[in-house]
Every structure is written in structure tokens, then in C-alpha cells.
Amino acid sequence: MIKQLKKVFMMVLFLPISLMIFGQGATTSGINGRVLDSGGQPMPGASVVAIHVPSGTQYVTTADAKGNYRIQNMRVGGPYTVRITFIGYLSSSYTDIVLKLGESYVQNAELSEATTTLQEVVVSSGTRNSILSSERSGTQTNVSSRDLASLPTINRSITDFTKLTPQSQGNSFGGRDGRFNTITIDGAAFNNNFGLSSNPLPGGEAQPISLDAIEEVSVSIAPYDVRMSQFTGASINAVTRSGDNTFKGSVYTYLRPKSFTGNTVDGNEVSGARERSSQNYGFRLGGPIIKNKLFFFVSGEYEKVSIPGVSWRPSTDGVSNSDRMISRTLESDMARVKNFLMETYNYDPGKYKDFDPFKNKNTKILARLDWNINKNNKFTIRYNDVAGTSDQQTNFNSGPPNNARNSGRISSQSLAFSNSFYGFKNTVRSITGELNSSFAYRFSNKFLASYTFIKDT
């Protein structure tokens, strides 16, 4: 069994790295368009400068012989200001442009010839890229940082927002099994390869990255972008927040006290129902290290969840009652077995009734640096770590095979001691480095390397 587990862990460690050679998730955006004069003729050589206003990051290119231009590998979000100039013509500026993850924003321009004093035309933008834009690269749903902050969420998970996709049914998209999806965060693979929990993300019951550290999420069902591959369900891509020229931060807590949970169904009291509670504490901080040049972002979160444990209890007469969660196992038998183990082997098997609630705990940290090396090269590195534990009751079917009553070890037919319960320790560590470069205003390149370590014990 140990050898088998090691093989699975090796797949978890190295499979994402080999896959990233052939395909990757979206981590950036872009702008493209065409520059014409007032007579509708292309203007080759027109200069295009896009500036990410919060950080001062600049992207520069020129129009080709047909007046077309394209800027790739741009930071997600905005607002951006785009300035288009040509000698002897009035320059045009477009403001309030917001870029969506994995999409290329279209901004065309028409320049008028200058007769006397050169002036500038300023046009406010930002709503041009509508939901029905023909420039989309396939069926895609975008969830912006504003949506993440304003829409309701139950688990503070990315999957609470991917359900906004019309083709989704939970974690299934377009009728495909959720295990056919590929999930990436900053380009690093974040699939639940081991599969010991229903969570499509690794980390067991914990979310591997705090929702407060996510900038934007996109879900692509059938893209025709060659940079997106290695999936047959949906490609779920997320990018984390980054710093800019303004120091920004927040401290938050989310509490769910026991009183938020009801304890009756059809007038019958549910044992242990009000043992459910959760506490979540976190912070984030971002800002400049060197203005317009180097930026940082850090995030931390601690979560503690208490959930009802085992509600079954032994009977006094050997008669089971599933509605009242009473097992046919006699309380006197459980006490006799416990006393025998303690007197003979000095071993305490634990409780056999009034079980303690289960505890799930996790701690998440994330750190990111963004470096504007020069106008042609931008570098990003991000590291995150999550460590969590979760309690589990005794496995249902780990008893004798071919059980005639088809009952589990804790059920109406049997009961187990609390020391037979177990738990998971989930560890997820990921580091991603990305270098975005442009060459001669005509070519762009993205070099992305990631390493993800996932361990479920």
C-alpha cells in the first residue's frame, strides 16, 4: 500500500510540470485594434502606448502595414489608458479600460490630420467589451474582482463563482464529469489529483488559496485559443491579486456561531445539530517597493470549523431506531469491551457515546512580487502554502466483507469507539514564476514555470 501511495504522490508532483510544457491556463489579457486616418486608410507605424494606471506599468507597440496592432501578456484589470499617436496627426487617448482575464480588448482608433496646433482627443471607454463581444476566444465566463467582493458565497471558494457559468451543474460543465476539468491559479495546476475529497481543488476540506487573494476567475468551455489546452470539461483559470503604487490592505473575519444552525426537523430535535460553527480570520496587504517598478502583495488566513461528529448512540434494549439515531449495539456491551481493553491492555478505546464534534483547521499564506524590468519585460513570482487538518469518522465499509445487513461500522447495526476515528493532514505548496516579453513590437512571449506539491496523509 505504501508503494502505491508513493506512485500516486509522484504523479501529483510531476504530472502538472510535464503538462505545463504543452499547455497552460490563462494568466494575462491583451489589447488589439486598427488605426486609420479620417479617410479610412491604415496608418502603419502609429505608436500605441497602454498604461496600467494603478501601477504605472507601460506596454508599447506600433501598427503594422495594415494599421493593425496587438499587445499581449498584459496585467488583468485596470483601469488602463491607451494613447495612440502619429506625427502630423492629432493623438487620441482612451481611458477607463478594464481588461478581463484571457480576453483581448478591442480598441480601434481614427486619427485626424493636424492643421495648426497639435491637440489630443480623449475618449472615455470601459464598456466596449460587452458580454456578446465577437472578439471572445470561445465560450467563456468572467468573474471580476468586483463580482468576487459583492456576490454571495457559502464556502468562500472559487467553485462558488464558477457556478455562474450557464453550462455548469455544480462542478460539471457541459455535461462532463468534473474530473475532466483543469484548474489553474497563476498558471499552476491545481487539480485534486489524489481525489480523497469531493472538493475539486486540492487541500481536502480547505481551499488552497484565500478568496481574498484572488483577482479574477474565468471559465472557458470551448476555447479556440491555442494557449489553452489539456482539458475536455472546462478550463477554470484564476489569477491572484498584485500590488500597485498605492498601499492597500484589509483585515477581515467571517463568523458562523452555533445559533445560526437550526436543531429541529418536523418538530423532532436533531442531536448535535448546533455543534456546527466556524471562525475565519484573515488579512491582505499590497503596495509598492519601488514606485512604478517593483510591487508586493501578501495574504494570510486562518480558518477553524466545528461540525457535528457521530450522532449515533448505543441502545439500552438492543433495539435500533434510525430516526432517533440509536444503534442496536447495547451500551452495556460497549462498556464491558472498554473495561476489558483498559484492564487487560491498558488501552483506552475512547468514547462510545456523546462524541465530541469534529474539527477542521487550516492556515493559508500567499506572497507575490511583480517586477517591471523595463517596457518590454515584466516578471511575476508567487508562492502559496496551505496546511490543514480534518477529522473523519470510521470508514463505513471497512468491516467484514459481504455484510449480510449491509451496514457500516457506525450505523443502526453497530457502533465504534472514538479512537477508531481518523483524520487527514493536507498540505499544498505552489510556486509560480512568469516572464512576459515583447520583441521588436511584433512578437510576444510568455515563459511560465510552476511547481506544485500536494500531500494528503
Side-chain angles (χ1 to χ4, degrees), residues 98-114:
V98 178
L99 303 184
K100 297 180 180 179
L101 176 61
E103 291 188 1
S104 186
Y105 187 94
V106 179
Q107 184 59 71
N108 298 317
E110 182 178 299
L111 303 184
S112 301
E113 187 173 358

Side-chain angles (χ1 to χ4, degrees), residues 26-40:
T27 61
T28 56
S29 301
I31 291 180
N32 71 88
R34 195 178 189 194
V35 183
L36 305 174
D37 61 19
S38 56

Side-chain angles (χ1 to χ4, degrees), residues 108-121:
N108 298 317
E110 182 178 299
L111 303 184
S112 301
E113 187 173 358
T115 55
T116 53
T117 305
L118 293 179
Q119 300 178 12
E120 182 178 79
V121 178

Side-chain angles (χ1 to χ4, degrees), residues 84-212:
I84 302 176
T85 60
F86 193 83
I87 297 176
Y89 286 76
L90 299 176
S91 61
S92 295
S93 291
Y94 304 88
T95 62
D96 299 326
I97 295 175
V98 178
L99 303 184
K100 297 180 180 179
L101 176 61
E103 291 188 1
S104 186
Y105 187 94
V106 179
Q107 184 59 71
N108 298 317
E110 182 178 299
L111 303 184
S112 301
E113 187 173 358
T115 55
T116 53
T117 305
L118 293 179
Q119 300 178 12
E120 182 178 79
V121 178
V122 179
V123 180
S124 294
S125 187
T127 58
R128 180 182 181 87
N129 213 355
S130 64
I131 295 176
L132 299 178
S133 170
S134 61
E135 302 301 324
R136 286 179 177 271
S137 59
T139 306
Q140 180 170 309
T141 299
N142 283 89
V143 184
S144 66
S145 57
R146 185 175 182 178
D147 296 329
L148 294 173
S150 59
L151 294 176
T153 172
I154 298 175
N155 300 318
R156 286 184 53 78
S157 168
I158 293 175
T159 55
D160 281 346
F161 297 93
T162 58
K163 297 175 183 178
L164 298 174
T165 304
Q167 297 86 355
S168 73
Q169 284 185 308
N171 295 319
S172 170
F173 296 87
R176 302 289 287 178
D177 190 292
R179 287 168 291 188
F180 285 98
N181 302 332
T182 289
I183 303 175
T184 64
I185 300 179
D186 290 333
F190 263 76
N191 290 331
N192 184 4
N193 295 299
F194 205 74
L196 291 182
S197 71
S198 59
N199 189 356
L201 295 167
E205 302 301 324
Q207 307 303 321
I209 290 183
S210 168
L211 186 64
D212 218 53

Side-chain angles (χ1 to χ4, degrees), residues 392-407:
Q392 307 288 328
Q393 75 174 38
T394 304
N395 190 285
F396 180 88
N397 58 0
S398 57
N402 302 320
N403 191 331
R405 293 189 177 94
N406 192 28
S407 62

Side-chain angles (χ1 to χ4, degrees), residues 238-258:
V239 291
T240 55
R241 292 178 183 264
S242 56
D244 53 40
N245 283 325
T246 304
F247 284 100
K248 302 174 184 176
S250 69
V251 177
Y252 58 90
T253 180
Y254 294 91
L255 303 176
R256 177 179 174 174
K258 294 181 179 181

